[in-house]
């Protein structure tokens, strides 16, 4: 069974935890094992990076770019250094993340937006960001998307 770690920003309120819990239940119904991890500081992100082993975690699902608070010495998100897939589910306005979208993004990352307008915005303003998708129903889309994902990374 594939293990998915769902990370969310615990400082943004219960809404983020609720969304992470909801995504976990969707994935469990699709026969994925999940672990929910709150990210409240750079230390939490650093601990996540150090503890992520591809043998025990095959994918990270980040809710609203949680975990991108920690930058490496080359001023790119530290999550870039992981060798597993990262799927970012974003239901916030994408403009909030312009600075992050302007940084180097790892090829193992993909971005799922809750609206077509948000996905179109990122594709128009950040054309070098790859793997940009949208769905109006994350419950239906996420299991199908993960079934088609290249799990080698």
């Amino acid at each position: 069974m594939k293990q998915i770690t769902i990370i969310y920003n615990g400082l943004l309120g219960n809404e983020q935890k609720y969304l992470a819990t909801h995504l976990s239940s969707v994935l469990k119904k699709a026969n994925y094992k999940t672990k929910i991890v709150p990210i409240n500081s750079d230390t939490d992100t650093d601990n996540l990076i150090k503890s992520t082993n591809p043998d025990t975690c095959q994918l990270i699902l980040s809710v609203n770019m949680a975990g991108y608070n920690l930058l490496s010495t080359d001023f790119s998100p530290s999550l870039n250094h992981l060798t597993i897939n990262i799927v970012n589910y974003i239901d916030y306005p994408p403009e909030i993340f312009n600075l992050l979208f302007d940084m180097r993004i790892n090829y193992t990352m993909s971005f799922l937006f809750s609206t077509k307008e948000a996905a179109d915005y990122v594709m128009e303003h950040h054309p070098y960001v790859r793997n940009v998708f949208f769905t109006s129903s994350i419950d239906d889309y996420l299991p199908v998307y993960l079934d088609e994902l290249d799990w080698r990374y």
Side-chain angles (χ1 to χ4, degrees):
M1 180 178 290
K2 291 182 175 75
Q3 168 73 41
I4 298 174
T5 299
I6 302 170
I7 60 175
Y8 70 94
N9 188 329
L11 300 176
L12 295 179
N14 288 333
E15 173 188 309
Q16 299 300 294
K17 182 178 181 178
Y18 172 77
L19 182 54
T21 303
H22 176 75
L23 293 172
S24 176
S25 68
V26 167
L27 294 170
K28 285 179 180 178
K29 288 178 189 172
N31 295 318
Y32 291 101
K33 185 177 175 186
T34 64
K35 176 181 176 183
I36 299 174
V37 176
I39 301 293
N40 297 314
S41 67
D42 288 353
T43 302
D44 290 345
T45 302
D46 190 44
N47 289 337
L48 171 75
I49 291 167
K50 289 176 181 174
S51 68
T52 304
N53 178 341
D55 294 333
T56 58
C57 177
Q58 289 80 42
L59 182 133
I60 291 177
L61 176 58
S62 172
V63 176
N64 289 312
M65 305 296 280
Y68 286 83
N69 54 309
L70 185 62
L71 300 180
S72 63
T73 55
D74 65 354
F75 298 103
S76 67
S78 293
L79 293 180
N80 277 354
H81 299 287
L82 296 176
T83 57
I84 62 174
N85 284 309
I86 299 174
V87 176
N88 300 282
Y89 178 63
I90 301 171
D91 70 348
Y92 279 180
E95 298 86 7
I96 295 171
F97 307 110
N98 277 340
L99 180 65
L100 293 173
F101 292 136
D102 283 338
M103 293 180 183
R104 186 175 59 82
I105 300 291
N106 197 335
Y107 67 94
T108 63
M109 293 185 191
S110 55
F111 301 87
L112 302 177
F113 290 91
S114 60
T115 67
K116 182 175 182 345
E117 294 78 22
D120 288 345
Y121 174 88
V122 171
M123 288 187 283
E124 179 182 337
H125 291 89
H126 306 283
Y128 45 84
V129 175
R130 297 189 175 125
N131 304 317
V132 176
F133 308 95
F134 82 95
T135 179
S136 57
S137 173
I138 193 67
D139 293 21
D140 297 331
Y141 186 84
L142 189 58
V144 173
Y145 178 77
L146 294 181
D147 281 345
E148 297 175 358
L149 191 66
D150 184 349
W151 287 88
R152 293 178 296 170
Y153 304 108

